[in-house]
Amino acid sequence: MTDAQNIDARDTATPAPAAARRDPLALIVRFQSVIGLVLVLIGGVAFSPSRHGQIIFLSPDNIANIIRAISETGIIALGMTFVIITAGIDLSVGAMLGLNSVLTAMLMTTTNLGLVPTLLVVLAAGTTFGALQGLISIRFRLEPFIVTLAGLQMARGLALILSGNVYINISYGDGPGLAPPVFALLGERLFHNVVPVATLVFVALAVVATVVLNTTRFGRYVYAVGGNERAARLSGIPVAAVKVAVFAITGFASAAAGIVHAGQFNFGSANDGAGYELTAIAAVVIGGTSLFGGSGSMIGTIAGSVMLGALANILQLNNVNASLQLLATGAIIVLAAALQTMVGRREGSMR
């Protein structure tokens, strides 16, 4: 086989029998992001406090808060989707967000680079960091879990060194030490003060990621590598290059999220982004992307991100402790992974 362009994950696996496709559990896993999102929205309406007879959960201001809150983790989840489809993982994304927020704030306030050069430098730095992690994993045959765990520590350490473990505030104006006022738009809302600009960035990147994954040769390569790496290599697909590229994409996504974070909150902090990797992985897995690689979709990831944002919002409206929110997120990851494993075993037994 020489036409690697036509390879995707479906070409490397035996189709499941009709009985497997009719399996109710398989259908639940297939549409788990939609099912979960609907259930969460119903729960949000049912358990939402009210103010002056209005359900707070459905208020325009609260909806704006939800979609603003998912912007950063949603952007990271887009990049994470590529990595997980190749059966990899990236644990460094939260720390990279903190590092890139610090880098953004520093360049904005201590140099005369200007807005566009600053953004390009930060995005290039994040992409390079991610690509190096992929390269190290491939070159030394190390598990991505180990490499990115080390990357998490390195990114956090670099951020602490650069910032001196203090917040780097961003003030706006035209003089020395002041950031361009246009950067403050990332913290604003448009369309009658409902849609955050940060969310528009997330939506734009989601469209690009969806097109790349679904319509390009690279997207087919990503599915092929995750579905059957050996078959992909024998088909002429540059497996190593694909793996490095998907980690570069997570680095780019983390840098973009770091920029959005700095713009929304007007500061950079080395300690920000902690736990974001858990939320991003949860969004991807809830969205139906298999932790074992070879299958997944950006639409599912987007739905998973919205679901987690809505769930966190419901818990906050009901004054549920933040620690319980983390427990709920962890439980959702385990449940989604367990369902995927059960369906995989049942389909395997039917072949």
Side-chain angles (χ1 to χ4, degrees):
M1 184 181 297
T2 58
D3 189 8
Q5 180 176 347
N6 293 322
I7 294 292
D8 65 16
R10 288 168 295 185
D11 297 325
T12 61
T14 303
R21 292 194 295 269
R22 293 193 300 266
D23 183 358
L25 185 59
L27 289 175
I28 291 174
V29 171
R30 182 179 179 183
F31 298 105
Q32 63 187 23
S33 60
V34 176
I35 296 171
L37 180 57
V38 170
L39 291 176
V40 167
L41 294 178
I42 293 173
V45 174
F47 296 102
S48 172
S50 297
R51 183 186 296 123
H52 306 301
Q54 181 185 29
I55 297 175
I56 296 178
F57 181 75
L58 296 179
S59 67
D61 189 59
N62 189 64
I63 292 173
N65 288 334
I66 293 174
I67 60 178
R68 183 206 60 77
I70 67 171
S71 299
E72 296 172 24
T73 54
I75 290 171
I76 293 174
L78 297 175
M80 189 72 75
T81 303
F82 284 97
V83 170
I84 293 181
I85 289 177
T86 63
I89 200 77
D90 190 342
L91 300 179
S92 69
V93 289
M96 287 174 65
L97 178 146
L99 172 60
N100 286 296
S101 74
V102 166
L103 187 58
T104 300
M106 287 186 64
L107 293 177
M108 285 283 182
T109 58
T110 62
T111 70
N112 295 316
L113 278 179
L115 177 63
V116 174
T118 294
L119 300 184
L120 292 177
V121 168
V122 174
L123 291 173
T127 303
T128 301
F129 192 100
L132 285 174
Q133 290 189 117
L135 189 61
I136 291 170
S137 177
I138 296 298
R139 178 64 179 83
F140 298 100
R141 298 182 180 180
L142 298 174
E143 289 295 327
F145 175 88
I146 299 298
V147 175
T148 59
L149 181 61
L152 181 157
Q153 300 294 336
M154 293 179 65
R156 194 69 74 189
L158 283 171
L160 289 169
I161 292 171
L162 289 174
S163 66
N165 198 19
V166 297
Y167 284 76
I168 300 179
N169 293 313
I170 301 176
S171 299
Y172 298 97
D174 297 324
L178 299 175
V182 67
F183 187 65
L185 287 175
L186 284 172
E188 301 295 329
R189 296 179 182 181
L190 303 178
F191 307 111
H192 304 290
N193 201 36
V194 173
V195 181
V197 173
T199 301
L200 297 180
V201 175
F202 169 47
V203 171
L205 291 175
V207 170
V208 173
T210 302
V211 170
V212 170
L213 186 62
N214 292 346
T215 67
T216 67
R217 178 186 300 183
F218 174 74
R220 292 191 289 272
Y221 286 179
V222 169
Y223 281 112
V225 170
N228 190 321
E229 183 176 323
R230 182 173 180 274
R233 184 176 286 108
L234 292 175
S235 300
I237 292 175
V239 173
V242 171
K243 287 188 171 184
V244 171
V246 295
F247 280 100
I249 289 172
T250 59
F252 177 91
S254 299
I259 291 170
V260 169
H261 183 83
Q264 285 197 98
F265 298 102
N266 298 323
F267 64 77
S269 171
N271 296 308
D272 286 349
Y276 278 29
E277 61 278 355
L278 175 65
T279 304
I281 293 169
V284 176
V285 175
I286 291 168
T289 298
S290 172
L291 283 169
F292 308 105
S295 65
S297 72
M298 285 298 169
I299 300 301
T301 293
I302 295 167
S305 297
V306 175
M307 173 188 160
L308 287 176
L311 177 61
N313 182 262
I314 295 167
L315 296 176
Q316 290 167 4
L317 290 177
N318 287 277
N319 297 316
V320 176
N321 189 285
S323 299
L324 293 179
Q325 295 179 32
L326 293 175
L327 286 174
T329 303
I332 289 171
I333 294 177
V334 172
L335 177 61
L339 288 173
Q340 291 174 0
T341 301
M342 291 171 61
V343 170
R345 288 175 178 173
R346 292 173 67 164
E347 290 181 351
S349 65
M350 294 177 183
R351 290 170 182 162

